[in-house]
Amino acid sequence: MKKSVMIGLILSLVLLLSFSIVNAQDPVTLVYWSMWNETEGQARVIQDAIANFEAANPHINIEAVWNGRQNQTLVRTALSGGAQVIDLMDQDADQIAGGLMKEGFALPLNDYLQEPALDHEEPLADVFLPNTLNMFAVDGNIYQIPYIYNTVQFWYDKRVFEEVGIEVPQTWDDLLAACDALNAEGYAPIAAEGNEPGYAAFYLTELLARIKGPGWLRQAAADPTGEMWRDPAVLDAAQKTRQLWDNGCVPPETVGYVWPQGQNTLAFGTAAMELVGSWLPVELQNATDPDFQWGGFSFPAIEGGEGSVTDVNALLLSFMINKDTAHPDEAFDFLRYIMSDEIQQKFTDESLVGVTNLYIEWNPIIADASAAASAATSTYGDVDHVASLYSEYLNTVLYPNYVSLWQGSVTPDEYVEMMATQTAEYWAEHPQE
Amino acid sequence: MKVSNRFIILLLLPASALYLTFFLVPTIQALVYSLYDWSGFGEAPRFIGMRNFQELMSDRLFWTSMGNTIAILIIGGIVIFGIAFVMTMMLSSGIRGKKFFRGVIFLPNIIAVIALTTLWGYMYTPRTGLFAAVFDALGLTELARFPWMGPDTIAAAMMIAIIWIEVGFYVVLLLAGVDKIPPDFYESAKLDGATDFQQFRHITVPLLSDVIAIGMVLWSIHAVKIFEFPFAFTGLEPNPNSYTVAVYLYILGFGQRQPIYRLGYATAVGVMLLLVVILIVLVLRRVTRREVYQY
């Protein structure tokens, strides 16, 4: 009897001890500032992820602040105050690279990424689609976890192409021929936000990527002499830009469209296609008729060009962990969960976006974006990375001049001269380190 | 009852402290930061003297945005005060429903700017906008497709919308001044055979001179730092060719889509803006200085 009492006592003690060890995990609060507004589809998926993660890790509490697209600016302001703790944030990958990452506030994640993924045996680094995780690496260090994947392609209504009897254009000439066929049937071939520099610059980015290959535009932007802009490829790209307008691909009134006026013409069925990110079907889901059949195709090849149609302009959205966080392990555990099959599938199913987990089948509405992402032989960021590397140059030299060309205020020859001269002037005023 | 100076100072102290803390100190700080190269974050500010201002002198976008701002100030100001005077004349002529019309004219001032930009954006949209529908109905198909927000006309399109919004405020301001003018003045003038215009020219305008001066100063300050409407009206990423100075300052310092974050340089833009405001106010004070009528 005494012996059994003793055993019982010891067992109770062991149980008590192990219980207290479990509870000895100090409560952890992670502060996450988000680029989403609270009611957006993507925010709802993250809210579910937070709830599930907290349930599985009772000692962790995640406080989310839903800031919307000005998130990085608000994070910077808060962090500069010194009193605010922010462990995690998310934003467009290009913007993080040119902002907090460049300023040294991002935690390197290489070691964490070698740990196993949640649903797979391989390291987490291996579950990302090719050319995504490394897009913004610096000296081999990875500072971002890209979790949403947007491709820039032409988006169109398959029914219109079938009605007019045209195939997906493979070459620049095919595109011009498609414009003629669409015009003949009374469609405005290409919808565009004519007065939005960011949207207009998709054309410059794609044209130069196809003619000279990805990476050339960013080199031209950084050329302190500006002479690279005198390369015949730039004149060719500028002439092709104007060709779109002069051949009737882009209707003249487009020059006055600001977002979302251009894309609405696609939703209303008056226009046939638009070169834009794969977020378009989501943005237009309430404006298109229920039978709208979304299709996407990559920017056509240019004859004799060095680039390939499998070079993809990938506009990623990423998480970043603050290097000063007191809880890097817990913060990364949450990001590991964001990258799990369950949450990534939810993103694409519920908010119709592309994701970076290679095991996930994207929502059928953006199946063509998924195909492009899977087949990508190389990827490049916004304006061939000029947005993240030389953002002031982009805003003060590249955008204003390309918009002037795009809108027909200057000729292709004048554009080349302006870019060569102003690039040299810019770098004379802002010497590169 | 005589109030001691000490008591008056005591009463002024809280307001003065707030003014010093939240206005004067940041203004002085801004003057200091305009002499630094600073992102507003991370690395410590680096003193560069007047280099930000030197750079501004050759900054094309700064001068483009200054040109746009001055255009809003001068052209917008002339049209706004012209319309406001005409409306004031009409509303103070004994018209029935004066309060109703005054309320209707003032209405745009109490609507959120984002709602107004959305409204005007819709009205200007070619093919599917309100103006397009009207022109289509009139058989003017070319005008229905006209790109009002294109590069050649976006400034005018924006100006029309701003004028529509702002006129109401200045009508109310002028009307408040007109209401204080004794009716005897107008009755005497009528007996002497003065026309409506002569009454307006020789009674209303002189007796409203101080109100007009205040109105012009208010408009000048508002026009020079105008931000919300141009920023929201010109799309997701405003076309740099249509920046106002305040929009350019914001994009340089705080970023819209692109992470420029040159807070020191943006502050120099802000200092230039401050100098422009001071200059305009000084000029206006000199131009509008005149005898104050007692009545």
Side-chain angles (χ1 to χ4, degrees):
Chain A
M1 178 70 185
K2 263 187 180 176
K3 196 177 173 185
S4 59
V5 169
M6 277 300 284
I7 291 170
L9 260 173
I10 289 167
L11 271 175
S12 308
L13 268 171
V14 169
L15 271 173
L16 199 66
L17 202 64
S18 53
F19 182 73
S20 31
I21 286 169
V22 168
N23 281 280
Q25 285 185 292
D26 290 333
V28 169
T29 296
L30 293 175
V31 179
Y32 157 54
W33 282 30
S34 174
M35 66 173 287
W36 304 107
N37 295 302
E38 196 165 1
T39 52
E40 287 183 276
Q42 292 87 336
R44 291 207 186 97
V45 175
I46 295 174
Q47 286 156 14
D48 286 348
I50 290 173
N52 295 345
F53 185 76
E54 286 176 340
N57 302 275
H59 67 293
I60 301 178
N61 170 45
I62 299 180
E63 286 178 4
V65 179
W66 308 99
N67 284 323
R69 303 300 184 275
Q70 294 289 312
N71 190 38
Q72 179 167 243
T73 297
L74 296 171
V75 168
R76 293 174 86 254
T77 308
L79 289 179
S80 63
Q84 178 69 51
V85 176
I86 299 169
D87 302 290
L88 283 164
M89 59 85 66
D90 60 349
Q91 191 76 52
D92 301 56
D94 296 89
Q95 294 175 27
I96 292 179
L100 287 165
M101 219 181 100
K102 201 176 187 176
E103 289 162 324
F105 279 80
L107 183 75
L109 303 170
N110 297 47
D111 292 342
Y112 286 116
L113 284 160
Q114 293 314 310
E115 294 174 10
L118 209 59
D119 316 284
H120 307 278
E121 287 183 0
E122 66 253 57
L124 182 62
D126 294 348
V127 307
F128 287 83
L129 277 165
N131 306 307
T132 54
L133 193 58
N134 293 311
M135 254 181 93
F136 295 96
V138 179
D139 299 329
N141 288 320
I142 294 166
Y143 297 94
Q144 302 189 20
I145 299 292
Y147 69 105
I148 288 179
Y149 192 141
N150 294 301
T151 59
V152 175
Q153 294 170 284
F154 275 104
W155 290 93
Y156 68 105
D157 185 351
K158 288 179 177 173
R159 296 173 307 174
V160 173
F161 274 38
E162 276 169 25
E163 178 198 327
V164 177
I166 49 176
E167 298 290 324
V168 164
Q170 303 294 328
T171 65
W172 183 254
D173 290 339
D174 289 348
L175 182 67
L176 297 180
C179 290
D180 291 341
L182 287 159
N183 266 322
E185 293 298 321
Y187 287 102
I190 295 179
E193 311 298 352
N195 210 2
E196 293 277 357
Y199 279 68
F202 286 146
Y203 283 91
L204 178 70
T205 308
E206 296 304 287
L207 281 164
L208 285 175
R210 294 292 183 266
I211 298 170
K212 296 294 282 185
W216 193 87
L217 172 55
R218 94 189 65 139
Q219 286 175 36
D223 176 15
T225 66
E227 288 303 304
M228 280 183 76
W229 288 96
R230 297 190 197 279
D231 189 293
V234 178
L235 183 62
D236 189 16
Q239 286 168 336
K240 284 187 163 57
T241 300
R242 288 309 311 158
Q243 208 173 14
L244 290 172
W245 294 81
D246 299 339
N247 283 25
C249 288
V250 183
E253 67 268 22
T254 305
V255 81
Y257 285 147
V258 296
W259 182 90
Q261 294 168 351
Q263 66 188 39
N264 281 345
T265 62
L266 182 60
F268 298 157
T270 54
M273 57 183 144
E274 182 177 5
L275 180 66
V276 67
S278 51
W279 57 75
L280 189 67
V282 189
E283 287 189 352
L284 292 183
Q285 62 180 324
N286 295 325
T288 48
D289 74 66
D291 298 326
F292 197 102
Q293 289 174 26
W294 283 105
F297 63 91
S298 297
F299 197 87
I302 308 277
E303 196 181 342
E306 294 170 32
S308 157
V309 290
T310 56
D311 299 325
V312 173
N313 188 353
L315 304 182
L316 309 176
L317 307 182
S318 293
F319 273 98
M320 188 206 87
I321 299 177
N322 182 350
K323 72 171 174 46
D324 295 325
T325 178
H327 312 291
D329 297 347
E330 289 83 354
F332 193 81
D333 279 344
F334 177 65
L335 298 190
R336 193 200 320 269
Y337 182 52
I338 288 286
M339 285 307 300
S340 68
D341 292 359
E342 173 201 354
I343 297 302
Q344 288 274 289
Q345 194 67 57
K346 223 172 193 175
F347 271 120
T348 192
D349 288 348
E350 295 179 13
S351 52
L352 318 183
V353 292
V355 289
T356 51
N357 181 325
L358 63 84
Y359 291 102
I360 303 303
E361 194 172 325
W362 293 13
N363 193 302
I365 203 170
I366 48 169
D368 290 327
S370 177
S374 302
T377 48
S378 77
T379 55
Y380 44 97
D382 197 12
V383 198
D384 198 4
H385 286 289
V386 176
S388 56
L389 294 170
Y390 317 111
S391 54
E392 187 180 359
Y393 170 85
L394 177 68
N395 272 267
T396 58
V397 179
L398 196 147
Y399 271 172
N401 289 332
Y402 190 68
V403 169
S404 294
L405 171 76
W406 171 249
Q407 295 179 328
S409 306
V410 299
T411 64
D413 289 309
E414 287 168 338
Y415 172 74
V416 168
E417 185 57 34
M418 285 158 67
M419 286 305 294
T421 311
Q422 292 181 27
T423 299
E425 286 172 4
Y426 178 86
W427 289 118
E429 189 71 56
H430 307 82
Q432 296 178 61
E433 289 166 7
Chain B
M1 186 181 78
K2 194 180 176 197
V3 181
S4 72
N5 281 347
R6 203 173 285 180
F7 185 65
I8 293 171
I9 291 169
L10 198 69
L11 289 177
L12 286 174
L13 214 56
S16 305
L18 285 173
Y19 180 75
L20 271 171
T21 312
F22 294 110
F23 186 76
L24 273 185
V25 172
T27 304
I28 293 163
Q29 272 184 324
L31 290 171
V32 173
Y33 283 132
S34 70
L35 305 175
Y36 282 81
D37 178 24
W38 187 39
S39 74
F41 190 63
E43 287 176 11
R46 187 168 59 91
F47 183 77
I48 54 169
M50 298 298 286
R51 269 192 47 201
N52 281 333
F53 293 96
Q54 284 169 356
E55 190 181 333
L56 270 183
M57 293 302 111
S58 59
D59 182 339
R60 271 189 200 83
L61 265 190
F62 172 70
W63 291 109
T64 301
S65 58
M66 185 61 89
N68 293 336
T69 305
I70 298 291
I72 291 173
L73 169 71
I74 294 175
I75 301 171
I78 290 170
V79 178
I80 284 174
F81 279 93
I83 295 174
F85 270 123
V86 171
M87 286 185 165
T88 303
M89 275 176 72
M90 289 164 68
L91 289 175
S92 59
S93 65
I95 189 174
R96 286 180 69 181
K98 176 181 165 185
K99 286 182 180 171
F100 169 76
F101 288 118
R102 190 175 58 189
V104 169
I105 293 165
F106 189 73
L107 197 62
N109 281 272
I110 59 168
I111 298 174
V113 173
I114 292 295
L116 293 171
T117 54
T118 307
L119 170 75
W120 278 93
Y122 162 67
M123 292 205 291
Y124 284 132
T125 306
R127 288 179 188 248
T128 53
L130 183 68
F131 293 153
V134 172
F135 288 129
D136 262 336
L138 296 172
L140 304 167
T141 47
E142 283 300 308
L143 273 177
R145 291 183 176 193
F146 188 80
W148 301 103
M149 291 168 77
D152 299 332
T153 48
I154 191 167
M158 190 162 71
M159 194 94 78
I160 290 168
I162 290 171
I163 289 166
W164 177 79
I165 296 165
E166 298 293 335
V167 155
F169 176 80
Y170 295 95
V171 168
V172 168
L173 193 73
L174 293 176
L175 265 178
V178 168
D179 287 346
K180 283 188 177 174
I181 300 173
D184 312 3
F185 289 19
Y186 293 105
E187 283 162 18
S188 306
K190 271 182 198 164
L191 286 174
D192 289 339
T195 62
D196 285 348
F197 181 74
Q198 284 171 325
Q199 290 172 47
F200 182 76
R201 166 76 183 79
H202 295 292
I203 300 174
T204 310
V205 172
L207 296 184
L208 275 184
S209 60
D210 52 345
V211 178
I212 294 168
I214 290 170
M216 286 168 77
V217 169
L218 287 176
W219 165 249
S220 302
I221 294 171
H222 178 67
V224 169
K225 65 185 181 68
I226 197 161
F227 173 78
E228 301 95 325
F229 195 90
F231 188 70
F233 183 69
T234 47
L236 285 177
E237 270 179 295
N239 179 346
N241 299 320
S242 61
Y243 283 168
T244 61
V245 178
V247 170
Y248 188 41
L249 182 159
Y250 179 77
I251 284 171
L252 282 171
F254 304 99
Q256 162 63 357
R257 294 250 155 183
Q258 313 306 336
I260 298 177
Y261 301 133
R262 286 190 69 193
L263 204 62
Y265 189 56
T267 310
V269 174
V271 169
M272 291 294 280
L273 212 53
L274 180 70
L275 293 176
V276 169
V277 170
I278 291 171
L279 186 72
I280 289 169
V281 171
L282 287 177
V283 169
L284 282 175
R285 280 175 67 91
R286 181 161 284 273
V287 169
T288 58
R289 184 181 296 165
R290 58 169 64 212
E291 188 182 342
V292 177
Y293 298 96
Q294 300 289 337
Y295 54 92

